[in-house]
Amino acid sequence: MLLVILEHENGQLVEAAREALTFGRVLAKKMGEDLEAAIIGSDDDDLVEAAGQYGAETVHTVTHDLLTDYGPDAFGSVIAQMVESLDPDAVLSCGSDRANEFMANAAARLDAPFVANCTDVNPGDTWAMTRIQWGGSLLEDATLTADVPLLTCGLHAVAAEIGDEEDAVAEEFDVDLDESFTITMVKDRVVQEAGVTLPTAAVVVGGGRGVGSEDGFGQLEELANLLGGRVGCSRAVTNLGWRPHADQVGQTGTRIAPEIYIASGISGAIQHWVGAMASKHILAINTDKEANMVTKADWAVIGDLHEVIPAIIAEVQSRKG
Amino acid sequence: MKILCCVKRVPAPGAKINVTADGQDVDAAHLGFTMSPHEECAVEGAVQLIEEHGGEVTVLTLGTGDAEEQLRYAVSVGATHGVLVEADTIQWDPQRTAQAITAAVQELEGDEPFDLIMFGNESADAGGFQVGIRIAMALGRPIVQGIKGVEIGDDTIIARREIDGGFEVYELPSPAVLGIKEGLNLPRYPTMKGRLASKKVELNSITASAAEGGQVRVKLHRPEETVSETVILGMGAEAAAAVVDVLDELGVL
Ligand SMILES: Cc1cc2nc3c(=O)[nH]c(=O)nc-3n(C[C@H](O)[C@H](O)[C@H](O)COP(=O)(O)OP(=O)(O)OC[C@H]3O[C@@H](n4cnc5c(N)ncnc54)[C@H](O)[C@@H]3O)c2cc1C
Ligand SMILES: Nc1ncnc2c1ncn2[C@@H]1O[C@H](COP(=O)(O)O)[C@@H](O)[C@H]1O
């Protein structure tokens, strides 16, 4: 049996969890095993039903007084207990920061290997997998010897697709948790901004070192506002203190997936590119027509962004009337 | 306070990452070296904490002798001590890396634990998302990952983790362990005084030994590249109309 641990939020499976089930369906078939799922901290029927739609035959639900909020130790311990009593042949979760955290926590408890962010997995006596390195700039082929392989699949390694299994059977799973796990539980949660955030924006207007100054971002803000989008930036810009790190796109920043990414004054270093490559379309504005961002873009304007962007703003305003 | 930061030496590639002919490593022949931006922020965060509360920052790396460069860099921006855990290569699997660093930490600590140990959320190259977690758990200390804010409370460490549109707050008893993300702070540049200190500092060296884990590298390769026929919409301001046509077509106007 392949066990897929599902991340959920506000009573819904997160997109990455749907991806993990889609990835898991293929893997379970290769293994010649059943696909089962686990939901930690909820036994909501809608979640069980959603897991069924994506191919899970049995869904193990876990509720407990100490599982009302997230904590890596509590989640890690639940998974370790499931490995011991459900005896899965492998355990899979998604490549979100949270899932990578609780899977590593479970692996440490079981003293077992854990392979993060796989894009392809092949079972066998020795397992073989391809996994993400350098945030997606490189791939690594690796082998794994483990009693029970613990894996996550990289974000967007597959697109979520509904399967043909209809009704999943829900089964309650009893866990044994002690108070010490509350040490690493969320104590408080603060919401800073509602509405369009960088990972969800349909338009991102990105600026790099070529913007030249903190004030130079005013024009980018104006264009982003006109288009209902958000401003993003490169690491060169955050390092210069022109923008907060929350705006940074890339390997150590945010991964964006807008309808269009307008990348201005950004050279397109590989660590920036991996954060932008899920964009559906890219338009580069750069003085250098050889810049990596330009050669990888769908469209480009060659020129000084401080002339091009105000002209785009004027044109948008005149068409909007 | 006594703080430990664990950093990993990695090459700093530009537009592309090239792999050596045997597929075992990044071709770093023409590249400089650095550490993950997450780890740079961990070092800066540690230095800021001792500037405010007093104490010492030790920086540790597991790797070959070359990794001294990153230890000395950390000293040039304010770390107090550097420890090289010597291994034949830096590419040990995550279990082996964690085991060797755990042993080194225990040797350094004796019976006086570090109040705080800081890791990067993930290493820049391998991105295993686990070495810090394994070490914290082997030491029996709490760890949370993805941290972009650290404050010292009464015998506790208050840590903030970024989530989409806000943050979660954790409060851990000391001694504790954190996986840090870039954005915690803006790392400073080395000062002249720092550079001198980094040249003079005596680095401590520990020989690493640990059993291999279950994950073995076969080879590294580049993902298939998206080849794009870039359409040049024009030069300078005159391209604005063509740009807005594109926006209109995509339905984002
Ligand atoms: C481990 C690691 C992780 C990293 N993570 C990230 C990350 O998450 N995100 C990230 O962005 N980077 C990251 N980097 C840094 C990355 O390697 C680059 O240094 C950075 O992306 C460069 O930023 P830039 O394109 O703004 O600057 P530059 O490379 O300096 O490019 C500036 C561009 O602006 C153009 N330009 C200049 N003036 C104008 C003008 N007036 N009009 C139009 N164009 C102009 C130039 O032609 C050039 O193409 C990471 C690096 C490492 C080693
Ligand atoms: N060779 C190493 N030397 C020192 N610290 C390391 C090493 N490898 C990993 N780490 C630390 O563990 C964190 C997580 O690494 P990883 O599990 O590879 O993503 C890194 O950000 C470093 O802080």
Side-chain angles (χ1 to χ4, degrees):
Chain A
M1 177 262 282
L2 171 65
L3 182 67
V4 182
I5 313 291
L6 301 178
E7 221 192 304
H8 54 95
E9 218 171 64
N10 308 323
Q12 295 208 306
L13 294 183
V14 301
E15 177 71 9
R18 296 171 199 270
E19 291 173 4
L21 278 169
T22 312
F23 193 95
R25 282 209 305 274
V26 177
L27 177 56
K29 200 166 284 167
K30 287 189 201 165
M31 293 164 69
E33 294 286 345
D34 291 342
L35 182 67
E36 299 187 4
I39 296 170
I40 304 174
S42 172
D43 56 3
D44 190 327
D45 290 340
D46 292 346
L47 285 175
V48 173
E49 194 185 323
Q53 285 174 344
Y54 281 85
E57 290 156 53
T58 304
V59 181
H60 303 275
T61 61
V62 195
T63 54
H64 190 286
D65 291 349
L66 296 180
L67 289 173
T68 47
D69 208 335
Y70 175 67
D73 281 310
F75 274 53
S77 173
V78 170
I79 296 165
Q81 290 178 47
M82 285 185 160
V83 167
E84 271 151 15
S85 65
L86 298 173
D87 199 24
D89 297 286
V91 184
L92 175 75
S93 194
C94 60
S96 66
D97 272 353
R98 198 180 255 193
N100 276 326
E101 179 179 48
F102 62 60
M103 291 294 280
N105 187 294
R109 285 170 195 279
L110 295 162
D111 194 19
F114 159 57
V115 185
N117 300 329
C118 299
T119 57
D120 185 36
V121 177
N122 292 293
D125 288 338
T126 302
W127 287 53
M129 59 264 303
T130 301
R131 61 177 300 274
I132 290 171
Q133 284 219 356
W134 286 96
S137 317
L138 273 191
L139 295 172
E140 176 186 27
D141 291 341
T143 59
L144 174 69
T145 337
D147 291 339
V148 184
L150 302 178
L151 315 164
T152 58
C153 54
L155 286 181
H156 312 312
V158 294
E161 255 175 60
I162 298 220
D164 33 48
E165 200 68 34
E166 294 285 298
D167 288 322
V169 181
E171 268 180 30
E172 243 173 77
F173 182 84
D174 284 327
V175 281
D176 190 11
L177 296 175
D178 73 71
E179 285 289 331
S180 70
F181 295 142
T182 57
I183 290 176
T184 55
M185 262 178 190
V186 178
K187 289 278 176 309
D188 198 5
R189 198 168 265 115
V190 182
V191 177
Q192 281 173 314
E193 53 178 337
V196 186
T197 60
L198 195 52
T200 57
V203 177
V204 175
V205 181
R209 198 194 304 272
V211 176
S213 67
E214 186 177 342
D215 290 342
F217 273 88
Q219 295 170 350
L220 278 70
E221 281 283 0
E222 196 180 341
L223 181 58
N225 287 341
L226 267 176
L227 300 172
R230 288 291 308 254
V231 167
C233 71
S234 71
R235 181 165 179 248
V237 165
T238 33
N239 272 348
L240 286 160
W242 296 347
R243 300 291 297 184
H245 183 267
D247 286 356
Q248 182 177 314
V249 171
Q251 181 180 345
T252 51
T254 300
R255 270 124 222 274
I256 58 170
E259 191 57 35
I260 184 163
Y261 179 39
I262 303 174
S264 58
I266 297 178
S267 63
I270 188 77
Q271 301 90 358
H272 184 81
W273 175 253
V274 292
M277 67 186 177
S279 305
K280 305 215 178 44
H281 303 278
I282 294 180
L283 182 135
I285 303 172
N286 204 302
T287 43
D288 173 10
K289 66 177 186 342
E290 305 295 330
N292 203 43
M293 204 72 218
V294 170
T295 59
K296 283 187 165 173
D298 300 289
W299 303 284
V301 176
I302 308 305
D304 181 347
L305 68 96
H306 290 300
E307 289 166 16
V308 180
I309 290 184
I312 299 173
I313 291 171
E315 182 71 21
V316 171
Q317 279 167 335
S318 84
R319 289 206 206 176
K320 283 190 166 180
Chain B
M1 309 183 66
K2 268 181 47 175
I3 308 178
L4 176 71
C5 292
C6 293
V7 304
K8 183 177 185 186
R9 172 182 171 87
V10 296
K16 249 189 200 169
I17 305 189
N18 293 313
V19 173
T20 54
D22 65 1
Q24 290 306 302
D25 223 328
V26 169
D27 183 357
H30 305 289
L31 299 177
F33 284 81
T34 182
M35 58 180 92
S36 167
H38 298 317
E39 295 153 23
E40 267 178 55
C41 287
V43 172
E44 174 66 32
V47 169
Q48 287 182 12
L49 285 175
I50 62 160
E51 282 170 350
E52 193 183 335
H53 302 276
E56 294 188 340
V57 174
T58 303
V59 175
L60 177 153
T61 191
L62 178 144
T64 57
D66 302 343
E68 276 194 11
E69 183 190 345
Q70 278 58 49
L71 296 177
R72 290 192 190 276
Y73 182 82
V75 171
S76 77
V77 290
T80 330
H81 308 290
V83 180
L84 175 69
V85 184
E86 262 182 285
D88 50 351
T89 140
I90 207 161
Q91 301 302 349
W92 280 10
D93 69 75
Q95 286 172 292
R96 192 179 191 189
T97 303
Q99 216 190 334
I101 295 178
T102 304
V105 171
Q106 282 164 334
E107 185 177 330
L108 289 172
E109 286 187 334
D111 48 17
E112 211 192 314
F114 290 102
D115 301 289
L116 179 61
I117 305 183
M118 289 159 117
F119 291 91
N121 191 68
E122 82 273 0
S123 55
D125 55 348
F129 286 82
Q130 57 187 287
V131 164
I133 295 174
R134 288 184 186 278
I135 293 168
M137 295 191 68
L139 295 169
R141 294 176 206 170
I143 175 165
V144 282
Q145 291 265 98
I147 297 306
K148 273 193 172 186
V150 181
E151 268 170 65
I152 302 301
D154 298 332
D155 293 330
T156 62
I157 287 154
I158 299 158
R160 290 197 331 205
R161 169 191 198 133
E162 195 180 44
I163 49 173
D164 195 15
F167 52 86
E168 296 171 341
V169 184
Y170 295 84
E171 193 171 356
L172 307 179
S174 176
V177 188
L178 298 175
I180 298 293
K181 270 205 174 181
E182 186 181 24
L184 174 70
N185 49 45
L186 205 52
R188 71 193 70 183
Y189 293 99
T191 57
M192 199 45 126
K193 188 161 155 258
R195 283 213 185 86
L196 281 174
S198 76
K199 287 202 181 103
K200 277 196 254 154
V201 70
E202 234 177 280
L203 301 174
N204 189 348
S205 176
I206 295 177
T207 310
S209 74
E212 279 175 32
Q215 185 185 328
V216 180
R217 170 171 302 172
V218 178
K219 68 174 169 40
L220 295 174
H221 51 100
R222 277 211 304 258
E224 251 173 71
E225 271 185 59
T226 39
V227 200
S228 174
E229 290 283 321
T230 310
V231 177
I232 305 287
L233 295 175
M235 313 293 284
E238 60 162 51
V243 169
V244 181
D245 286 344
V246 164
L247 298 176
D248 198 10
E249 224 167 276
L250 295 178
V252 296
L253 260 200

